């Protein structure tokens, strides 16, 4: 009886059923699409962070950078034997310097033990982030000039050169500064760190037997730009290193966290930072422990900066950040408003339908139908309408997700990381070599050229303290069974809510009043 009556009423009121179902379907489709895009944005954000910080990194610990008197620019001491002068009077200079990356401060590697002993920490790994700066160029001495004194060239342009005149002097020169990042990593196996998100494409990874050796693993992007492969050599801090492996990020086509990776103890020795690290990567036993671990570490390490994965995610910028903000704000609120509107439409149409069925419900009550039975009948009709709307909405949502994945929109993302991947050529404003042009040769960064009156240094400087690893990420909206079930459940909930309210309205009708209203 119940099902027969239910089918007849839905068939006789097709218009109401269609309107309620369409309203629910639109709301449910929007909820599914927004939820899937939100999951896709989070996955893209995690992908970008993995290329910089490594898989499994829940927390990073760094030391607050201290101000430097020289602005953090590298200095190069050449001395009397700093270069070789040819028969044509041209002196060639070349010097490399391996130093802690600007914007970072080294801390004792004993801090790693402190972090590891903290409750809730699963693993911790300390690395030393360095920048290798190579200053090279030539100075041409005019005929008839005496050899000038060789001092110490610094990135701030404090070196003075003999002034030129009719009798001779330095006629000109050309200088360049090339920089690339170097990361000293533990050679033993580690479950957390910058290379946990990298895959080996050629050669081998660093092993425990490489401790103290001059071997290096290069990032694939950097190796390609420098035409390097396994077996080649590369100069780091005036020391020749052998390339033993090439790695690439597994998360995207972007570069890994650094241009090159060498044994930690070797990096500490070459940079005169023995027993020091700059960044500690931390993995928590459980994601629920991250907040408590951060609080505990901040109490133990008062001078350190403790950042969680959520803090790191805030550093992701570009159109990915815009998409994330759009989904989390506009998308979420739009879904809530549309869902509320669909519920309201269903309730109003159901109550309106009950009002038009006054005679019907009065007759049913007159022949013995109870209030509960009438309420269940109206609720059953709305329940079916909610299911229809939920199913149609789920199909529409899946089609929308399919369209998004077929279009595969590309969004850019930049993840800020401490360090420099490139150099900046200084636009010399102060002293220096007259007539010399200073150019910055960089792996990734902004290059500039010095003015004809400038030297090396001045306003341009040598790079910055923060870099942004920029990459293009293809947005993929995943489909999960949970999202579909929740969406259909919301549609059913809306139908039941409308049915209960409509049924309550119908149950309050008195048979006599109902029959008189149509007499």
């Amino acid at each position: 009886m119940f099902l027969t009556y239910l089918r007849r009423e839905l068939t006789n009121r097709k218009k109401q059923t269609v309107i309620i179902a369409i309203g629910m379907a639109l709301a449910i489709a929007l909820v599914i699409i927004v939820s899937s895009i939100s999951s896709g944005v989070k996955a893209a954000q995690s992908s970008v962070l993995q290329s910089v910080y490594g898989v499994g990194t829940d927390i990073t610990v760094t030391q607050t950078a201290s101000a430097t008197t020289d602005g953090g620019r590298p200095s190069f001491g050449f001395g009397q034997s700093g270069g070789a002068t040819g028969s044509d009077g041209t002196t060639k200079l070349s010097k490399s310097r391996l130093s802690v990356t600007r914007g970072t401060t080294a801390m004792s590697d004993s801090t790693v033990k402190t972090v590891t002993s903290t409750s809730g920490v699963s693993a911790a790994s300390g690395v030393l982030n360095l920048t290798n700066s190579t200053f090279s160029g030539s100075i041409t001495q005019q005929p008839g000039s005496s050899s000038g004194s060789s001092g110490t060239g610094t990135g701030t342009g404090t070196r003075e050169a003999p002034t030129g005149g009719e009798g001779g002097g330095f006629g000109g020169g050309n200088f360049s500064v090339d920089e690339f990042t170097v990361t000293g990593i533990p050679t033993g196996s580690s479950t957390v760190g910058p290379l946990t998100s990298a895959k080996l494409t050629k050669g081998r990874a660093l092993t425990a037997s490489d401790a103290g050796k001059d071997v290096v693993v290069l990032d694939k992007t950097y190796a390609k730009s420098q035409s390097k492969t396994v077996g080649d050599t590369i100069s780091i801090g005036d020391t020749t290193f052998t390339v033993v492996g090439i790695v690439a990020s597994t998360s995207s086509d972007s570069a890994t966290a650094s241009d090159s990776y060498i044994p930690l103890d070797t990096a500490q020795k070459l940079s005169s930072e023995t027993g020091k690290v700059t960044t500690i990567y931390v993995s928590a036993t459980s994601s629920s422990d991250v907040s408590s671990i951060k609080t505990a570490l901040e109490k133990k390490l008062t001078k350190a900066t403790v950042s969680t994965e959520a803090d790191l995610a805030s550093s992701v910028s570009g159109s990915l950040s815009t998409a994330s903000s759009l989904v989390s704000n506009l998308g979420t609120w739009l879904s809530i408003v549309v869902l509320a509107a669909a519920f309201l439409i269903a309730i109003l149409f159901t109550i309106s339908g009950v009002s038009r069925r006054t005679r019907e419900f009065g007759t049913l009550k007159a022949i013995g139908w109870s209030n509960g039975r009438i309420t269940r009948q109206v609720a059953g009709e709305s329940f079916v309408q909610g299911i229809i709307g939920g199913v149609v909405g789920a199909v529409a949502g899946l089609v929308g997700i399919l369209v998004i994945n077929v279009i595969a929109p590309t969004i850019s993302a930049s993840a800020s990381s401490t360090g420099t991947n490139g150099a900046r050529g200084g636009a010399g404003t102060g002293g220096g070599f007259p007539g010399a042009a200073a150019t910055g040769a960089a792996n990734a960064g902004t290059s500039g050229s010095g003015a004809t009156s400038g030297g090396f240094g001045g306003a341009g400087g040598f790079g910055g303290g923060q870099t942004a690893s920029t990459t293009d990420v293809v947005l993929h909206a995943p489909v999960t069974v949970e999202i579909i079930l929740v969406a259909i459940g919301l549609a059913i909930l809306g139908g039941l809510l409308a049915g209960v309210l409509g049924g309550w309205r119908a149950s309050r009708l008195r048979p006599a009043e109902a029959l008189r209203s149509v007499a």
Side-chain angles (χ1 to χ4, degrees):
M1 177 66 179
F2 174 80
L3 295 178
T4 303
Y5 191 77
L6 178 67
R7 185 182 71 255
R8 184 176 66 83
E9 291 301 320
L10 291 175
T11 303
N12 292 339
R13 292 171 176 80
K14 292 181 180 179
K15 184 177 181 180
Q16 176 178 319
T17 301
V18 169
I19 292 176
I20 294 177
I22 290 177
M24 286 291 182
L26 291 176
I28 297 310
L30 183 60
V31 169
I32 292 175
I33 293 174
V34 170
S35 299
S36 296
I37 293 178
S38 179
S39 299
V41 168
K42 290 180 180 179
Q45 205 169 51
S46 299
S47 175
V48 174
L49 287 176
Q50 285 175 11
S51 66
V52 177
Y53 301 105
V55 174
T57 301
D58 298 308
I59 298 174
T60 59
V61 179
T62 56
Q63 192 80 1
T64 303
S66 58
T68 56
T69 57
D70 63 352
R73 299 185 179 97
S75 60
F76 303 89
F78 293 101
Q80 295 293 333
S81 59
T85 303
S87 58
D88 58 352
T90 299
T91 301
K92 295 183 178 180
L93 302 174
S94 180
K95 187 71 174 180
S96 292
R97 182 176 184 271
L98 190 62
S99 58
V100 173
T101 299
R102 285 190 62 196
T104 63
T105 300
M107 53 186 162
S108 173
D109 56 9
S110 62
T111 309
V112 179
K113 295 181 179 179
T114 302
V115 173
T116 305
S117 63
T118 302
S119 176
V121 172
S122 173
S125 176
V127 303
L128 184 61
N129 296 314
L130 306 170
T131 299
N132 186 85
S133 306
T134 301
F135 178 92
S136 59
S138 61
I139 305 172
T140 303
Q141 194 173 28
Q142 290 182 349
S145 65
S146 59
S147 59
S149 60
S150 297
T152 300
T154 67
T156 56
T158 59
R159 176 176 177 173
E160 297 182 357
T163 58
E166 292 184 1
F170 288 102
N174 182 50
F175 304 95
S176 65
V177 176
D178 177 73
E179 291 188 347
F180 63 91
T181 52
V182 180
T183 299
I185 61 174
T187 52
S189 60
S190 178
T191 58
V192 63
L195 284 185
T196 53
S197 59
K199 60 181 178 181
L200 193 66
T201 60
K202 290 183 180 179
R204 63 175 179 83
L206 296 180
T207 62
S209 61
D210 291 322
K213 294 183 179 180
D214 299 332
V215 290
V216 60
V217 172
L218 298 181
D219 172 75
K220 181 180 179 180
T221 303
Y222 180 73
K224 183 178 180 180
S225 68
Q226 300 298 313
S227 301
K228 297 292 184 180
T229 188
V230 174
D232 291 345
T233 59
I234 185 173
S235 179
I236 301 178
D238 284 334
T239 300
T240 301
F241 279 71
T242 302
V243 179
V244 296
I246 306 292
V247 293
S249 174
T250 57
S251 58
S252 64
D253 293 331
S254 62
T256 59
S258 180
D259 296 326
S260 59
Y261 302 88
I262 63 177
L264 177 59
D265 52 353
T266 302
Q268 293 170 333
K269 179 180 178 181
L270 291 179
S271 61
S272 301
E273 298 289 347
T274 304
K276 300 290 185 67
V277 295
T278 55
T279 305
I280 300 176
Y281 297 91
V282 185
S283 175
T285 303
S286 172
S287 58
S288 60
D289 297 332
V290 172
S291 179
S292 60
I293 293 174
K294 178 181 179 180
T295 302
L297 290 178
E298 287 176 335
K299 291 181 179 179
K300 289 184 178 181
L301 311 172
T302 56
K303 295 183 179 180
T305 299
V306 182
S307 303
T308 64
E309 186 178 11
D311 298 328
L312 301 179
S314 65
S315 70
V316 178
S317 58
S319 58
L320 175 58
S321 177
T322 304
S324 177
S325 177
L326 185 65
V327 170
S328 61
N329 295 322
L330 178 61
T332 301
W333 283 109
L334 182 61
S335 298
I336 293 175
V337 169
V338 172
L339 195 61
F343 282 13
L344 183 60
I345 290 173
I347 292 172
L348 292 177
F349 268 86
T350 301
I351 293 177
S352 176
V354 168
S355 299
R356 291 193 301 269
R357 297 165 66 181
T358 301
R359 180 179 180 181
E360 175 187 337
F361 290 128
T363 303
L364 291 175
K365 297 189 76 171
I367 63 175
W369 276 43
S370 65
N371 291 338
R373 186 174 182 181
I374 291 177
T375 300
R376 288 193 297 272
Q377 187 65 46
V378 176
E381 296 172 10
S382 297
F383 175 78
V384 174
Q385 291 169 349
I387 291 179
I388 295 174
V391 173
V392 174
V395 174
L398 292 174
V399 172
I401 293 174
L402 179 61
V403 171
I404 293 174
N405 290 335
V406 169
I407 296 175
T410 301
I411 51 182
S412 64
S414 299
S416 299
S417 60
T418 304
T420 56
N421 283 338
R424 295 189 180 203
T429 58
F433 294 106
T439 59
N443 166 42
T446 304
S447 61
S449 59
T452 55
S453 62
F456 48 94
F462 290 96
Q466 296 286 329
T467 59
S469 176
T470 304
T471 183
D472 289 333
V473 182
V474 177
L475 181 62
H476 174 75
V479 179
T480 60
V481 177
E482 290 80 5
I483 293 177
I484 303 298
L485 293 179
V486 168
I488 295 177
L490 288 174
I492 294 175
L493 177 63
L496 286 176
L497 183 61
V500 169
L501 292 176
W504 174 79
R505 175 73 177 82
S507 65
R508 290 178 62 85
L509 294 174
R510 295 182 179 180
E513 294 179 357
L515 292 175
R516 278 200 304 269
S517 65
V518 294

